[in-house]
Amino acid sequence: MIRIAQESDIAEMLAIYAPFVEKTAITFDLELPTLAEFTAKIQKIQKEAPCLVYDLDGVVLGYTYAGGHRSNAAYKWTRELSVYIREDARKKKYGMALYASMIELLKCQNYRTVLAGITLPNIPSVNFHERFGFYPVGVYDNVGYKLGKSHRVGWWQLMLGDYQESAKEIISIDQVLATEEGQKALKRGEARILV
């Protein structure tokens, strides 16, 4: 099932994140954060937006979070999405399920835009995001150096509503989850899992 991440999940989440840090340029962390550092990061994000896990019989198979995009006040309606799935669980579309729920929850909270930064080339990630309606908006050339070389990062964007309408105040995730609409949004992605 898809649910809000709890503090007891964070060690499993960090274990999922470890190979991405150690073996890939998908993330630009050069060293694996400590459990305390990673816990602080997740707790900070959860003050404003969801961090979701896919839990199968008590085992976390993947997670997604909606981190902030820059600190200036006018960016408060924009979130950056990230998703990480255990290597042995990637064929079941847990990432698709988590993103579907995340996007619906962010809409319920009145966020207006979500972004995804993708280290290029990464055709599977580009295809994954474009299936959700993300579209490319730009590329930073040689912006990160990891694993002995410079990397490009492409940016994809998804509008969650009509950008011409006035922005509404952000609703806390706790308030959203207290509604029937919020509970439906949380479970929205579970239908995407291959049986």
Side-chain angles (χ1 to χ4, degrees):
M1 71 174 173
I2 295 174
R3 60 174 176 76
I4 298 292
Q6 301 166 356
E7 190 167 346
S8 59
D9 299 318
I10 294 178
E12 281 183 278
M13 293 162 61
L14 184 58
I16 291 168
Y17 188 53
F20 291 96
V21 174
E22 295 161 355
K23 300 175 185 173
T24 78
I26 288 172
T27 175
F28 281 178
D29 277 338
L30 298 177
E31 294 181 8
L32 189 65
T34 66
L35 183 57
E37 291 167 340
F38 197 67
T39 299
K41 174 181 178 175
I42 298 302
Q43 289 174 339
K44 180 180 178 187
I45 290 167
Q46 286 184 316
K47 288 179 182 175
E48 297 177 348
C51 178
L52 305 177
V53 296
Y54 198 97
D55 177 326
L56 183 63
D57 300 325
V59 176
V60 173
L61 297 180
Y63 67 94
T64 185
Y65 59 80
H69 178 73
R70 306 186 67 125
S71 59
N72 307 72
Y75 286 113
K76 82 176 197 175
W77 290 274
T78 300
R79 304 304 289 186
E80 285 185 35
L81 297 190
S82 297
V83 63
Y84 297 96
I85 306 298
R86 268 182 27 179
E87 190 171 354
D88 62 350
R90 293 197 188 132
K91 304 233 180 213
K92 285 281 200 170
K93 302 202 181 226
Y94 296 113
M96 296 285 286
L98 286 163
Y99 249 42
S101 290
M102 176 63 78
I103 289 167
E104 291 305 313
L105 285 170
L106 292 173
K107 286 179 186 177
C108 291
Q109 285 189 268
N110 293 327
Y111 286 106
R112 297 167 59 88
T113 306
V114 288
L115 303 172
I118 302 171
T119 306
L120 300 175
N122 189 336
I123 292 169
S125 185
V126 169
N127 291 341
F128 172 88
H129 286 88
E130 290 184 354
R131 272 187 233 125
F132 279 99
F134 284 77
Y135 54 92
V137 292
V139 175
Y140 294 153
D141 282 323
N142 304 313
V143 72
Y145 187 83
K146 185 174 180 183
L147 301 175
K149 66 181 208 174
S150 292
H151 298 277
R152 302 166 71 227
V153 175
W155 285 93
W156 271 254
Q157 179 173 346
L158 174 67
M159 297 302 297
L160 300 180
D162 185 347
Y163 70 92
Q164 294 178 331
E165 291 180 5
S166 295
K168 298 175 184 171
E169 279 307 307
I170 303 298
I171 300 170
S172 78
I173 189 60
D174 291 337
Q175 287 179 286
V176 166
L177 291 173
T179 68
E180 183 179 344
E181 181 186 12
Q183 286 299 313
K184 284 181 181 175
L186 178 63
K187 298 299 180 188
R188 184 77 33 93
E190 291 179 8
R192 289 181 175 258
I193 296 299
L194 296 175
V195 206

